[in-house]
């Protein structure tokens, strides 16, 4: 089983960019689909983006489509989230998650390994 550690969060002005990273430990990283979720104060944790184990298929929430890009480097056991044109409503704690499912999924119940989260704050 992998363990996940996110990094790269911070404070940015609206319209700016941030890049998140999620480093995985364990030799089985390439067997997992990976995703990013986020949770704003007082709200449910919501899906942001996911990528298949091979990197060939990606999935995005409508709210971030065209602004965020997910990618992975299996050789480095790392998944990335490039966030562009950030909006105040993107403010949340962002979580990296791993799923043993072979298909890309936006269902958080399909993810059985979670990181500790990294705070992203977008000021207006």
């Amino acid at each position: 089983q992998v363990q996940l550690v996110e990094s790269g969060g911070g404070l940015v002005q609206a319209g700016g960019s941030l890049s998140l990273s999620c480093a995985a430990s364990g030799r089985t990283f390439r067997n997992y689909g990976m995703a990013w979720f986020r949770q704003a104060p007082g709200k449910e944790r919501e899906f942001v983006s996911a990528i298949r184990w091979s990197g060939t298929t990606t999935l995005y929430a409508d709210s971030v489509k065209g602004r965020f890009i997910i990618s992975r480097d299996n050789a480095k056991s790392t998944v990335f989230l490039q966030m562009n044109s950030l909006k105040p409503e993107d403010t949340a704690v962002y979580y990296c998650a791993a799923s043993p499912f072979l298909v890309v999924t936006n269902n958080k119940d399909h993810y059985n390994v979670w990181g500790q989260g990294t705070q992203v704050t977008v000021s207006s």
Side-chain angles (χ1 to χ4, degrees):
Q1 182 152 316
V2 298
Q3 293 181 325
L4 306 174
V5 178
E6 303 97 334
S7 61
L11 173 64
V12 65
Q13 288 189 330
S17 298
L18 275 177
S19 181
L20 304 182
S21 298
C22 174
S25 61
R27 294 179 293 173
T28 59
F29 174 77
R30 67 173 294 119
N31 294 341
Y32 286 83
M34 299 297 297
W36 291 93
F37 289 77
R38 65 187 182 187
Q39 188 167 17
K43 295 189 176 181
E44 295 283 327
R45 189 170 299 189
E46 66 174 4
F47 171 77
V48 175
S49 182
I51 187 166
R52 195 166 183 247
W53 66 270
S54 60
T56 55
T57 304
T58 57
L59 185 65
Y60 294 94
D62 288 343
S63 59
V64 306
K65 200 173 295 183
R67 299 189 297 123
F68 291 10
I69 301 172
I70 190 171
S71 61
R72 66 189 293 163
D73 185 338
N74 286 343
K76 297 182 179 179
S77 297
T78 303
V79 62
F80 306 95
L81 186 68
Q82 177 64 40
M83 305 185 294
N84 302 317
S85 302
L86 283 161
K87 305 175 182 179
E89 51 263 44
D90 293 318
T91 295
V93 176
Y94 283 70
Y95 296 90
C96 176
S99 168
F101 278 65
L102 294 179
V103 296
V104 173
T105 172
N106 61 3
N107 185 339
K108 62 180 181 291
D109 293 335
H110 292 167
Y111 292 84
N112 59 356
V113 182
W114 293 82
Q116 83 289 348
T118 185
Q119 177 70 47
V120 171
T121 303
V122 184
S123 63
S124 56

